[in-house]
Amino acid sequence: MNSPIRRLAVVLAATALSATLFHLGTGLTPVPWLTWLAPLPVLTLAHHVGARAAFLAASAAWLGGETAMWGYFLDTLELPPPMVASMIVGSALLFGLVVLSSRALMLRGRPLAAVAVVPAAWVAVEYAVSVLSPNGAWWSLAYTQADVLPVLQTASVTGPWGITFLVLVVPAAAAVLLAPLPAAPRAAGRLRAAVTTAIILSLAVGYGAWRLRAPYGEGAEKVASEKVALLAADHPGWVPVASPEGRAILGRYTARIPDLAKRGARVVVMPEKAFIADDATLPVLAAPLARLAAVHHVDIIAGLILKRSGGLRNAAVDFPADGSRPVEYVKHHLIPGLESDFHPGNREAFVPGSGSRWGIAICFDLDLPGLVRDYRRSGATTLFVPAWDFDRDRWLHGRMAVTRGVETGLTVARAARNGDLVVSDAYGRIRAEAHSADAPIASVLTALPTRSADTPYTRFGDWFAWACALLLLLAPASLARVQPGRRRGAAGPRRAPAADATAPDHAVARPTA
């Protein structure tokens, strides 16, 4: 086998390996430790081959890893094919450019910058998507680590962006260490990059371990005085509450509430859009739930579609334990396309009489960090969240809500049909969990912590994402910096006219002193 064929085989192997690792380490059910490994093959390859081969390999690896998401976007979310193509293909091309940037910095003798540009650029991309897209911060590598609690605690300082940074800085540093000597600067430069990365990772994991040992973890169990119950029955579509089917489903819920109240439930949360009602049929739902709430001294939060004034509203109505007037919350953030006919809300809502300020939100609201931060700044310590998932995305969507809780120091109690019922504390620990399809009507009951955890992210917001954007802006300065021993205005390294596309640039580049 001649040299060009061997190089091509290496490029294809690295691309296939990264694509496989991305496929397993990202998506709807990721394997978290594989996420850290996924970029390594193509990042390492980039320091051994030409720019075109590096770009194509990295882009193809990302594209291959995201193949499983095509069906989810097209069939489950029913997004337009052009939008899906632009998201997946566009992100693949961006990843290729990020890898090229790291390669270029390494060739210029800037190993630390070559490491930093990979996570900084991707954080900037994720943050830009979260700001510019109506889908918010749903697209992030951070959620792959939602079950790795020491890493997840980073979100309390940086938001999800810090976790993405960690996941990418490690393989970027490993790739720089594995770069061939002719293209690499002195060993001291690579050592600085490795030590800096090790310090960042140690500080993050050490902080996470320290935070998980905080008194809140043990003390919360001892001082918890009230409980939350989550209920969910799977059924398709929106059921008119006054129809025979609607009355039957409502009866299944109301039959379970007295027992949960006897077992200590202070709040019962039902799923999103369990029913649809207008002003004429709303009493069919409101009367029995209000009566149960008053008799058993339990707040009951029901998710339903309210048809009023010729429009639809995705609402959660709390029927208070003290028999007072119901509290209505209307979903702020609507799913593009699927909820285009709905009117959004613009007000926060709290459970009346909750000394610890219990807030109410709905499903997709928790895909956007800003709303949750607003609740925390308003004094909320817990969010009750009616939800409706698509089953296949139940783990990911539920863990996004868990991440919001860690970011802001909130307990999150999320009741989803076609999904999971999850209660998580301010540190991302799962206090109770069940799958809605495991029983005709699934339920969980657990104690609510009475303490919250103040976080820097609540106070300072997306400062880390902006810092990464600033770091990214400084990268061109590193590229333009004149290398020692090379006179100003001198031409850069040139490739021989007949060089193969997979041949490394460093084969003809001058090593840095």
Side-chain angles (χ1 to χ4, degrees):
M1 180 181 293
N2 59 34
S3 181
I5 295 178
R6 186 179 298 112
R7 286 197 296 268
L8 179 61
V10 171
V11 171
L12 294 176
T15 303
L17 181 56
S18 272
T20 302
L21 293 172
F22 273 126
H23 177 78
L24 298 174
T26 62
L28 301 178
T29 54
V31 180
W33 63 273
L34 293 180
T35 316
W36 300 72
L37 296 177
L40 182 57
V42 290
L43 281 169
T44 303
L45 177 74
H47 300 305
H48 293 76
V49 299
R52 183 170 58 185
F55 173 76
L56 292 175
S59 298
W62 183 273
L63 188 64
E66 293 293 295
T67 52
M69 299 300 291
W70 284 92
Y72 174 68
F73 290 141
L74 293 172
D75 302 332
T76 303
L77 298 185
E78 300 178 359
L79 297 179
M83 179 184 296
V84 176
S86 65
M87 288 192 303
I88 295 181
V89 176
S91 61
L93 296 176
L94 285 172
F95 185 69
L97 291 175
V98 169
V99 172
L100 271 189
S101 298
S102 179
R103 176 185 178 279
L105 286 163
M106 191 63 183
L107 285 174
R108 292 297 183 97
R110 309 295 296 168
L112 186 58
V115 172
V117 74
V118 176
W122 206 249
V123 165
V125 169
E126 286 188 353
Y127 179 64
V129 170
S130 76
V131 172
L132 300 175
S133 167
N135 295 301
W138 65 274
W139 184 70
S140 174
L141 292 176
Y143 306 121
T144 65
Q145 308 303 304
D147 285 338
V148 186
L149 293 184
V151 174
L152 184 61
Q153 306 312 305
T154 301
S156 68
V157 178
T158 65
W161 326 118
I163 301 175
T164 295
F165 191 96
L166 291 177
V167 167
L168 290 177
V169 74
V170 172
V176 163
L177 288 176
L178 294 173
L181 288 176
R186 292 181 302 183
R190 292 202 291 181
L191 181 61
R192 283 194 296 270
V195 170
T196 301
T197 301
I199 290 174
I200 291 172
L201 184 62
S202 298
L203 288 174
V205 175
Y207 167 76
W210 169 81
R211 192 168 188 265
L212 289 169
R213 290 173 59 86
Y216 175 90
E218 298 178 0
E221 295 289 348
K222 297 178 182 178
V223 301
S225 58
E226 295 174 301
K227 296 180 179 180
V228 60
L230 308 180
L231 281 174
D234 286 349
H235 59 83
W238 315 332
V239 180
V241 69
S243 68
E245 182 184 3
R247 292 176 185 270
I249 294 173
L250 178 59
R252 290 162 62 189
Y253 281 111
T254 56
R256 294 292 299 275
I257 292 174
D259 176 64
L260 293 169
K262 289 178 182 178
R263 293 165 57 191
R266 168 65 176 81
V267 179
V268 175
V269 185
M270 296 162 56
E272 176 188 12
K273 295 178 181 174
F275 308 97
I276 182 170
D278 55 22
D279 288 334
T281 59
L282 183 58
V284 175
L285 174 74
L289 293 183
R291 183 171 60 253
L292 283 171
V295 170
H296 296 282
H297 306 290
V298 56
D299 275 78
I300 302 173
I301 301 173
L304 72 155
I305 297 172
L306 288 175
K307 188 176 182 180
R308 287 178 176 165
S309 303
L312 300 176
R313 290 167 176 80
N314 187 345
V317 180
D318 173 37
F319 299 94
D322 60 7
S324 60
R325 184 177 180 178
V327 174
E328 184 178 301
Y329 172 84
V330 177
K331 188 177 184 181
H332 288 203
H333 300 288
L334 303 172
I335 301 175
L338 294 180
E339 293 181 317
S340 58
D341 294 333
F342 286 75
H343 298 293
N346 56 14
R347 295 182 180 179
E348 297 172 351
F350 294 88
V351 174
S354 59
S356 54
R357 300 288 287 174
W358 296 337
I360 302 170
I362 297 176
C363 198
F364 190 67
D365 282 333
L366 270 66
D367 287 19
L368 292 96
L371 177 63
V372 184
R373 286 204 309 272
D374 290 343
Y375 261 114
R376 185 71 183 97
R377 290 166 179 167
S378 296
T381 60
T382 299
L383 278 184
F384 297 123
V385 186
W388 184 11
D389 293 333
F390 298 104
D391 191 61
R392 64 188 299 188
D393 66 351
R394 59 189 174 93
W395 181 90
L396 178 60
H397 214 186
R399 289 310 190 266
M400 289 171 68
V402 172
T403 304
R404 296 289 92 81
V406 176
E407 290 168 359
T408 54
L410 286 169
T411 294
V412 178
R414 185 176 186 270
R417 61 184 175 116
N418 293 106
D420 290 337
L421 294 76
V422 181
V423 181
S424 61
D425 67 15
Y427 299 88
R429 290 180 288 242
I430 306 301
R431 303 175 66 90
E433 185 172 21
H435 184 25
S436 62
D438 289 343
I441 181 165
S443 67
V444 297
L445 177 70
T446 189
L448 282 172
T450 58
R451 301 176 185 174
S452 57
D454 293 331
T455 68
Y457 183 67
T458 301
R459 182 174 181 181
F460 300 111
D462 297 311
W463 68 271
F464 187 80
W466 285 103
C468 286
L470 178 60
L471 181 62
L472 187 61
L473 290 176
L474 296 177
S478 293
L479 280 172
R481 185 170 176 176
V482 177
Q483 299 182 49
R486 181 176 294 183
R487 67 179 178 83
R488 293 183 182 273
R494 296 185 180 184
R495 184 188 301 276
D500 184 79
T502 61
D505 284 353
H506 59 69
V508 293
R510 181 185 302 178
T512 304

